[in-house]
Amino acid sequence: MKQFEKRILFDSDAIAVRVKELGAEISAKYPEGNLLFIGVLKGSFMFLADLVRHVTVPCCLDFVRISSYGNDTVSSGKLDIVMDIRLPVKDRNVILVDDIVDTGLTLSEYRKRLEKESPRSLEIAALIDKIARRERHVELDYCGFRVEEGFLVGYGLDCDERFRHLDGIYVLE
Ligand code: PRP
């Protein structure tokens, strides 16, 4: 198995502080609740699990599994919805949650799909906004950290399915 050097970028303490702030911000914005968090699998699983523990208003959860990369590090440019949400979006305050925005393809395309189902509101939360390879504009309503570039792993992010379990975010070098 290929060996990598990893350099810590955001440790678990820094992530916990930021995620708590985002959860509080969302809770304050939607006092009436009626929230539906939609996590984009697999990458968002850890961020979403931590985020909703800081949400103090009524909410539901659903998941979509989207794969745009396969096991490659270069985007195929095509959205592959492997498993779609089951809960209705109509009249809900929807927050689409992902670990990272890279080219922007995943969130911009899936957002369009959700808009057609008449949510009351639709916002996007991403832990990492990685800007160097952006091809599609994505309006991020909640963003954990902004980075220029780098292959990031940990806290849900993988390289060939490895490293998702790490509690910090690292750059592979
Ligand atoms: C990653 C990541 C985002 C997407 C971001 O998912 O979790 O969903 O790519 O890239 P983009 O902005 O260029 O579309 P991936 O397709 O690697 O699947 P995974 O979540 O299962 O790791």
Side-chain angles (χ1 to χ4, degrees), residues 18-74:
R18 192 68 191 111
V19 172
K20 188 175 180 183
E21 288 171 354
L22 295 177
E25 196 180 334
I26 291 169
S27 303
K29 185 161 179 183
Y30 294 97
E32 82 280 23
N34 191 29
L35 282 167
L36 172 60
F37 288 93
I38 300 177
V40 181
L41 294 173
K42 301 179 198 172
S44 71
F45 81 98
M46 207 176 276
F47 174 43
L48 182 60
D50 285 344
L51 181 68
V52 293
R53 274 181 270 195
H54 296 292
V55 171
T56 54
V57 297
C59 66
C60 299
L61 300 174
D62 206 347
F63 295 91
V64 57
R65 186 162 175 205
I66 303 175
S67 184
S68 55
Y69 288 1
N71 281 333
D72 209 341
T73 52
V74 180

Side-chain angles (χ1 to χ4, degrees), residues 98-111:
D98 210 346
D99 53 349
I100 188 165
V101 192
D102 187 3
T103 66
L105 177 78
T106 303
L107 289 177
S108 62
E109 285 298 308
Y110 195 69
R111 184 195 173 106

Side-chain angles (χ1 to χ4, degrees), residues 4 6 40-46 65-74 98-100 102 128 130 133 150-166 168-172:
F4 294 97
K6 307 193 295 301
V40 181
L41 294 173
K42 301 179 198 172
S44 71
F45 81 98
M46 207 176 276
R65 186 162 175 205
I66 303 175
S67 184
S68 55
Y69 288 1
N71 281 333
D72 209 341
T73 52
V74 180
D98 210 346
D99 53 349
I100 188 165
D102 187 3
I128 305 280
K130 189 173 92 171
R133 303 197 310 161
F151 199 95
L152 308 186
V153 297
Y155 201 73
L157 292 148
D158 77 308
C159 175
D160 202 8
E161 296 300 329
R162 296 171 63 197
F163 308 117
R164 290 192 199 273
H165 66 105
L166 301 175
I169 293 176
Y170 297 77
V171 189
L172 287 190

